[in-house]
Amino acid sequence: MLFWINAFIMGMSQFVIGASACIWYFEVNSDTGGKGTVGRAMWWAFRYHMGSVAFGSFLIAVCQMLRFLFEYYRRKMQVLPKNPVVKCMLCYTAYLLWAMEKCVKFITKNAYIQVALSNTFFCKAAWNAFALILKNVARFGWLHTIGSILNWFGVCMVSVLNGFGAYIALTKIDEFKENVTQPLIPSIIVILMSFIIVKAFLSIFSYSLDAILQAFLLDLSLIHISEPTRPY
């Protein structure tokens, strides 16, 4: 239940972010200018799609529970005499469970975007997301590559700037300069804290990119069906 609640909270957050980005994509050139998207995304999440998010988070919780039980079993096995074959199989099984959880999380978060785009139930949305990624694997690959570079550049730049600012403050401001004899250690702590916080915030940017790309691909398919003369 704890795994499920944690995954559900994360899933609702992901749905709101993805739905906000999708609404913004289709309304940024309208009279509203893409405003008020977060409020509507939250309304969609709690009013219409809570069941889909709960089902997706349940799948993630099952994978996490399997990993938890396996880790418990592996710790019990460590008291037995060492066997290279058993040790290798335990490591291999742990890796497979980790990979399964990663795959389920990847499909689930993209399914949430499809739920917001097409207003379908979770299983169909997951299949649509999987088929869309396979059909446009090059675009998704380039997006993740460029997005990852920008993401890490932003995380590192903000963290270094915060650490540099902390070091300048500790060495130049009299109140700090008199009480802090080693400004380097607090500056490193500031860099680490900034890294964790900025990485969490910029994950919103990364997920929004995925949502906007899926909205763009859906827009292309709608153009060919309903508006074949619309400019690319």
Side-chain angles (χ1 to χ4, degrees):
M1 183 59 69
L2 289 176
F3 286 133
W4 194 359
I5 291 173
N6 178 67
F8 179 77
I9 294 173
M10 295 296 295
M12 292 294 282
S13 302
Q14 289 177 335
F15 180 88
V16 170
I17 295 169
S20 300
C22 293
I23 297 172
W24 174 87
Y25 173 85
F26 286 104
E27 295 189 0
V28 65
N29 293 323
S30 65
D31 295 336
T32 62
K35 297 180 181 179
T37 59
V38 177
R40 270 183 290 167
M42 293 181 67
W43 170 252
W44 287 7
F46 287 98
R47 177 63 179 84
Y48 300 109
H49 302 298
M50 188 179 291
S52 295
V53 176
F55 184 74
S57 59
F58 174 75
L59 296 179
I60 295 175
V62 169
C63 295
Q64 291 175 338
M65 192 63 193
L66 290 175
R67 289 189 65 193
F68 175 79
L69 293 175
F70 178 77
E71 288 297 326
Y72 174 79
Y73 172 74
R74 189 169 67 168
R75 291 180 182 274
K76 291 293 185 181
M77 291 286 291
Q78 289 177 352
V79 301
L80 300 177
K82 302 297 182 182
N83 187 322
V85 177
V86 175
K87 185 177 180 180
C88 179
M89 292 300 296
L90 288 175
C91 293
Y92 184 63
T93 306
Y95 171 76
L96 290 178
L97 290 173
W98 172 84
M100 181 182 66
E101 181 183 346
K102 288 293 183 181
C103 291
V104 171
K105 285 184 176 180
F106 179 78
I107 294 297
T108 299
K109 73 175 187 178
N110 285 284
Y112 293 154
I113 299 173
Q114 284 295 317
V115 169
L117 279 173
S118 55
N119 193 28
T120 56
F121 57 93
F122 179 84
C123 294
K124 184 177 180 180
W127 173 253
N128 291 339
F130 181 72
L132 185 68
I133 293 171
L134 287 182
K135 186 178 178 181
N136 302 273
V137 64
R139 279 173 168 162
F140 276 92
W142 276 109
L143 177 76
H144 279 286
T145 301
I146 297 173
S148 298
I149 293 173
L150 292 175
N151 204 335
W152 278 103
F153 179 78
V155 170
C156 294
M157 182 62 66
V158 174
S159 302
V160 170
L161 288 176
N162 281 346
F164 179 73
Y167 183 81
I168 295 298
L170 292 172
T171 55
K172 298 300 182 181
I173 299 177
D174 295 334
E175 182 179 355
F176 295 140
K177 187 166 57 175
E178 295 174 356
N179 298 320
V180 180
T181 57
Q182 296 291 336
L184 187 60
I185 295 177
S187 300
I188 293 174
I189 295 175
V190 169
I191 291 176
L192 295 176
M193 293 175 62
S194 300
F195 182 87
I196 295 172
I197 295 172
V198 176
K199 196 172 187 312
F201 272 91
L202 287 187
S203 64
I204 300 175
F205 165 76
S206 177
Y207 191 60
S208 299
L209 282 179
D210 293 336
I212 291 174
L213 178 60
Q214 291 196 36
F216 167 72
L217 295 174
L218 176 64
D219 196 16
L220 284 182
S221 64
L222 293 177
I223 288 174
H224 291 306
I225 295 173
S226 59
E227 301 179 56
T229 60
R230 182 178 170 186
Y232 177 79

